């Protein structure tokens, strides 16, 4: 499957060329995932340079690196999804499903709640 | 190319442009962090800037060709993902460097 990432010609050896609009839609989905990855990476870079040091030593750096890793993983996954979907479209198969979007949404939601809690605790303790 | 009432070629072009903008944000944040670091950060900022330029040129070139010929090759896609991972990697190097 990894070969398919780098050799689009091999992708075209499989199945039949679909209506170009399906390929365009797949490409836009890929780009949306890449932007999601870039947003996570931007978040990590922002935590690293704009967040004041946290009470727990190195926690800020750990958080930043965690976001960078997640962003990178999302970008890699995006290529895999794009290749698998393109292949499924060409073969007329069911599109691949995934739980990852839901998992990511939960992670981001949990992170946001954690941030709210941190802000409230810090503002309460400085009063 | 016959007119597509769904305007998909136009939307795909815009999607590429939005992505290029997102890359710009990440590139600027990476370069800023690198320059703040100093030392090896100066080299990293050069790598980041060159990677940013290459990614932007490749993406816009692909997007324009895709707009006029929907069937064109998709080699730019893994390259874009690789550049994204590259920025994450540069950021990680910069941050780990401050931990030592």
């Amino acid at each position: 499957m990894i070969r398919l990432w780098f050799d689009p010609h091999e992708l075209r050896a499989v199945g039949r060329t679909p209506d170009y609009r399906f390929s365009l839609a797949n490409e836009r989905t890929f780009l949306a995932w890449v932007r999601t990855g870039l947003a996570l990476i931007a978040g990590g870079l922002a935590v690293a340079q704009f967040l004041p040091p946290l009470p727990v030593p190195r926690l800020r750096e750990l958080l930043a690196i965690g976001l960078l890793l997640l962003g990178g993983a999302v970008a890699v996954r995006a290529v895999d999804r794009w290749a698998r979907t393109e292949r499924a479209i060409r073969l007329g198969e069911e599109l691949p499903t995934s739980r990852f979007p839901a998992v990511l949404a939960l992670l981001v939601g949990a992170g946001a709640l954690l941030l709210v809690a941190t802000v409230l605790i810090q503002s309460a303790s400085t009063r | 190319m016959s007119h597509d009432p769904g305007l998909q070629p136009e939307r795909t072009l815009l999607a590429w442009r939005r992505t290029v903008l997102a890359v710009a944000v990440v590139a600027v944040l990476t370069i800023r962090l690198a320059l703040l670091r100093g030392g090896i950060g100066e080299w990293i900022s050069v790598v980041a800037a060159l990677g940013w330029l290459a990614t932007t040129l490749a993406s816009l070139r692909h997007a324009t060709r895709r707009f006029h010929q929907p069937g064109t090759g998709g080699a730019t896609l893994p390259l874009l993902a690789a550049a994204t991972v590259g920025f994450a990697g540069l950021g990680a190097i910069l941050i780990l460097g401050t931990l030592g």
Side-chain angles (χ1 to χ4, degrees):
Chain A
M1 187 47 67
I2 294 191
R3 267 186 10 241
L4 279 180
W5 297 359
F6 295 100
D7 189 1
H9 298 294
E10 189 170 318
L11 208 54
R12 256 180 244 129
V14 172
R16 288 177 11 226
T17 302
D19 184 333
Y20 73 85
R21 285 175 293 180
F22 293 120
S23 291
L24 289 185
N26 192 17
E27 183 157 313
R28 286 199 306 281
T29 305
F30 164 79
L31 292 175
W33 275 112
V34 166
R35 286 197 302 279
T36 304
L38 286 168
L40 287 166
I41 291 170
L45 293 169
V47 164
Q49 58 196 292
F50 298 122
L51 206 64
L54 299 171
V56 179
R58 299 187 180 184
L59 181 61
R60 175 181 60 172
E61 282 73 25
L62 215 69
L63 196 58
I65 291 184
L67 287 169
L68 292 180
L69 286 176
L70 189 56
V74 165
V76 171
R77 186 186 165 275
V79 182
D80 188 63
R81 295 296 298 176
W82 170 79
R84 286 182 196 276
T85 302
E86 195 74 15
R87 188 184 149 86
I89 291 173
R90 295 188 71 91
L91 293 175
E93 293 172 354
E94 295 282 318
L95 297 185
T97 57
S98 169
R99 288 202 198 114
F100 184 75
V103 170
L104 185 63
L106 286 174
L107 279 177
V108 171
L113 282 177
L114 210 63
L115 196 56
V116 168
T118 310
V119 168
L120 290 175
I121 291 173
Q122 284 205 313
S123 77
S125 67
T126 56
R127 207 159 298 161
Chain B
M1 183 180 64
S2 55
H3 176 67
D4 170 13
L7 299 172
Q8 290 222 19
E10 288 87 348
R11 287 162 58 196
T12 308
L13 182 62
L14 288 175
W16 275 102
R17 287 181 176 163
R18 284 199 299 279
T19 309
V20 162
L21 280 176
V23 169
V25 170
V26 166
V28 167
L29 284 175
T30 305
I31 291 170
R32 184 181 183 277
L33 185 61
L35 293 178
L36 283 176
R37 260 283 272 134
I40 191 183
E42 295 183 8
W43 291 104
I44 291 180
S45 70
V46 172
V47 171
L50 289 175
W52 179 15
L53 185 65
T55 306
T56 304
L57 289 176
S59 298
L60 292 178
R61 179 168 163 269
H62 170 95
T64 320
R65 282 178 62 209
R66 175 70 88 211
F67 179 74
H68 291 109
Q69 285 168 250
T72 357
T76 311
L77 277 65
L79 246 71
L80 175 63
T84 304
V85 171
F87 280 113
L90 291 180
I93 292 172
L94 289 167
I95 295 168
L96 288 171
T98 63
L99 285 179

